[in-house]
């Protein structure tokens, strides 16, 4: 920790181990309890930099700034929509790679508390290559580090966004606060770092977000689903199915050629049995492609009889795409078949269409443009 790798920037504070931080402090003649003070300070909602940690001596703040990065995100561009209920960021990382995160707020119904969901990326780009997904079309960039994953969440906790995540109060862990790995990348193709990021998010000396409020969405990396059962049994699992027959799924989710539907559903069933947690089967509705009666019936068979739930997502067409989303009527007919088969089903509301909130889209739009520094984030309000 005290020694920097020869290449690359200093470690980001969000992934520094508390024991290592304590050792670094002790080596500087500081009491070890300051580790807690530092971590407490950087995770406070008003934190803008090491400089602002006013309960620490000034020379220590300067030394922290030289040894660690306050964030692994060097700049962010943010757009808001739906009267600022949805906000989407493109974050720039130290090597110029860019990833996206989205904050979605839902008003509480009849006196209930508001709900906030933050959607984060696990990789820069994605190697799976689903043809309907902007990220998949752009190809793979690189793996994100645990800090680069956690710092997307921290971005929405820090000024000027802390008020947007209103369900969040430091020290008061909200039951209406969720993190979903549904941004760019296939989280289970970066399982070690994603699992470490989940542990950091869980850490009570950091954000302390309960595992039950975290969902990992996967296109079907079967061995890593089994690792989730063993290592993160309290985290929720969403499987991006999108087709109910192998021939169609081979095209829509090319990873299916490696782990076909039967194996994938088998892994989902093992997860449900081992954890007692309902697995969500995600299904993007593409007009005339995967929304026919036969697919609906086959999907009902795959989903019935175990602890699963189908979530239908109208396709958010990517620029230049030959496909469009299934119209309302088609979705209703598909829902009816699933309900008849005894399968619980929901239809996801499509947030932020006007800010290209489908993963990978805003990133593509901003390619080649300079992003403002994180601490001077500019808000491009599309409809505020
Ligand atoms: N790679 C993981 C997680 C990131 S994608 C996965 O595929 O599950 C998160 C979700 O967004 C997936 O269910 C994905 O299929 C969906 N998605 C991707 N592109 C989309 C689009 N253009 N319209 C609607 N949903 C999309
Ligand atoms: Fe990758 Fe998920 Fe996009 Fe498929 S849908 S290309 S797995 S990010």
């Amino acid at each position: 920790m005290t020694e920097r790798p020869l290449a690359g920037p200093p470690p980001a504070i969000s992934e520094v181990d508390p024991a290592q931080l304590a050792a670094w402090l002790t080596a500087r003649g500081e009491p070890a309890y300051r580790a807690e003070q530092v971590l407490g300070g950087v995770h406070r909602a008003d934190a803008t930099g090491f400089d602002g940690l006013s309960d620490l001596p000034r020379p220590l703040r300067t030394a922290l700034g030289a040894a660690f990065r306050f964030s692994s995100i060097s700049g962010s561009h943010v757009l808001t929509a739906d009267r600022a209920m949805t906000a989407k960021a493109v974050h720039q990382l130290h090597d110029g790679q860019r990833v996206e995160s989205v904050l979605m707020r839902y008003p509480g119904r009849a006196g209930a508390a508001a709900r906030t969901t933050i959607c984060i990326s696990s990789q820069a780009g994605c190697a799976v290559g689903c043809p309907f997904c902007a990220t998949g079309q752009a190809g793979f960039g690189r793996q994100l580090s645990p800090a680069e994953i956690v710092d997307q969440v921290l971005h929405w906790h820090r000024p000027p966004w802390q008020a947007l995540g209103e369900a969040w109060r430091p020290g008061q862990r909200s039951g209406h606060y969720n993190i979903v790995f549904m941004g760019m990348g296939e989280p289970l193709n970066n399982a070690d770092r994603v699992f470490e990021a989940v542990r950091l998010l869980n850490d009570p000396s950091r954000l302390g977000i309960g595992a039950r409020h975290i969902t990992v969405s996967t296109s079907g990396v079967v061995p890593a689903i089994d690792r989730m059962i063993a290592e993160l049994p309290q985290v929720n699992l969403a499987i991006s199915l999108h087709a109910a027959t192998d021939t169609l799924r081979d095209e829509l989710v090319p990873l299916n050629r490696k782990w076909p539907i039967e194996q994938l559903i088998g892994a989902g069933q093992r997860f449900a049995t081992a954890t007692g947690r309902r697995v969500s089967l995600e299904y993007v509705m593409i007009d005339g492609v995967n929304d026919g009666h036969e697919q609906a019936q086959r999907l009902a068979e795959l989903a019935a009889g175990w602890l699963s739930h189908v979530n239908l997502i109208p396709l958010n067409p990517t620029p230049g795409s030959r496909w469009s989303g299934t119209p309302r009527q088609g979705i209703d007919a598909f829902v009816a078949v699933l309900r008849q088969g005894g399968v619980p089903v929901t239809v996801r509301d499509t947030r932020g269409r006007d800010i290209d909130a489908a993963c990978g889209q805003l990133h593509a739009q901003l390619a080649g443009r300079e992003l403002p520094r994180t601490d001077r984030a500019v808000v491009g309000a599309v409809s505020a």
Side-chain angles (χ1 to χ4, degrees):
M1 196 51 49
T2 45
E3 279 179 42
R4 256 188 233 178
L6 287 179
I13 193 70
S14 51
E15 69 179 3
V16 172
D17 180 68
Q20 285 177 309
L21 180 60
W24 180 87
L25 287 160
T26 314
R28 295 188 49 83
E30 294 284 346
Y33 69 76
R34 288 222 189 274
E36 210 172 302
Q37 250 178 324
V38 172
L39 289 183
V42 299
H43 290 92
R44 265 205 314 261
D46 60 351
T48 51
F50 291 116
D51 233 21
L53 305 181
S54 51
D55 48 348
L56 299 178
R58 187 162 287 283
L60 177 57
R61 289 185 245 166
T62 309
L64 281 165
F68 305 104
R69 279 176 299 160
F70 187 66
S71 176
S72 57
I73 293 170
S74 52
S76 298
H77 182 93
V78 180
L79 294 176
T80 64
D82 307 325
R83 289 195 197 84
M85 295 297 273
T86 306
K88 170 158 182 159
V90 175
H91 307 292
Q92 181 147 322
L93 308 175
H94 72 88
D95 59 353
Q97 291 282 351
R98 291 176 178 185
V99 295
E100 299 177 2
S101 71
V102 183
L103 178 127
M104 290 159 281
R105 291 187 301 160
Y106 303 85
R109 278 200 207 104
R115 199 155 56 88
T116 298
T117 296
I118 297 178
C119 174
I120 56 175
S121 298
S122 56
Q123 300 179 309
C126 182
V128 177
C130 306
F132 55 87
C133 167
T135 305
Q137 291 314 290
F140 182 65
R142 67 165 170 84
Q143 303 288 19
L144 297 191
S145 68
E148 287 167 338
I149 296 169
V150 170
D151 285 340
Q152 296 168 57
V153 179
L154 271 174
H155 167 83
W156 298 108
H157 285 259
R158 287 175 172 164
W161 303 106
Q162 77 277 26
L164 278 184
E166 63 188 17
W168 175 259
R169 301 276 180 278
Q172 178 188 321
R173 310 311 186 208
S174 168
H176 301 275
Y177 182 91
N178 299 299
I179 305 284
V180 296
F181 281 87
M182 292 187 184
M184 299 167 83
E186 169 46 58
L188 296 187
N189 272 345
N190 189 17
D192 287 339
R193 298 179 192 85
V194 164
F195 288 10
E196 177 57 19
V198 168
R199 290 183 197 108
L200 289 165
L201 291 169
N202 291 162
D203 184 348
S205 65
R206 298 172 195 267
L207 288 175
I209 296 166
R212 282 159 192 269
H213 297 290
I214 300 177
T215 299
V216 168
S217 174
T218 180
S219 55
V221 185
V222 166
I225 295 177
D226 285 311
R227 276 190 61 191
M228 270 183 76
I229 298 171
E231 297 177 44
L232 299 173
Q234 293 195 320
V235 168
N236 301 295
L237 174 67
I239 292 178
S240 293
L241 200 60
H242 306 326
T245 55
D246 281 323
T247 332
L248 183 56
R249 195 165 189 272
D250 281 351
E251 298 306 315
L252 293 183
V253 187
L255 200 62
N256 195 66
R257 297 172 201 160
K258 197 160 183 187
W259 291 291
I261 292 176
E262 197 186 322
Q263 287 188 36
L264 180 53
I265 293 293
Q269 290 172 337
R270 285 196 293 283
F271 182 95
T273 307
T275 65
R277 311 182 68 69
R278 191 175 291 278
V279 173
S280 172
L281 302 176
E282 309 291 306
Y283 200 98
V284 170
M285 301 286 288
I286 312 175
D287 193 19
V289 173
N290 64 352
D291 57 354
H293 189 74
E294 201 187 313
Q295 289 288 323
Q297 271 183 327
R298 184 71 195 115
L299 177 59
E301 287 163 18
L302 291 170
W306 60 289
L307 203 54
S308 76
H309 154 268
V310 170
N311 189 27
L312 302 175
I313 313 155
L315 177 80
N316 199 344
T318 55
S321 166
R322 61 198 144 114
W323 287 326
S324 51
T326 302
R328 187 74 234 182
Q329 259 184 332
I331 295 179
D332 290 346
F334 205 86
V335 166
V337 176
L338 290 168
R339 294 235 163 97
Q340 208 158 25
V343 175
V345 49
T346 47
V347 180
R348 189 189 289 173
D349 80 336
T350 44
R351 277 299 189 94
R353 272 177 183 263
D354 48 352
I355 51 170
D356 294 332
C359 66
Q361 294 189 5
L362 186 58
H363 165 77
Q365 193 183 310
L366 293 175
R369 266 170 56 178
E370 201 53 37
L371 299 189
R373 283 179 44 155
T374 292
D375 55 0
R376 281 178 231 142
V378 169
V379 187
V382 172
S383 67

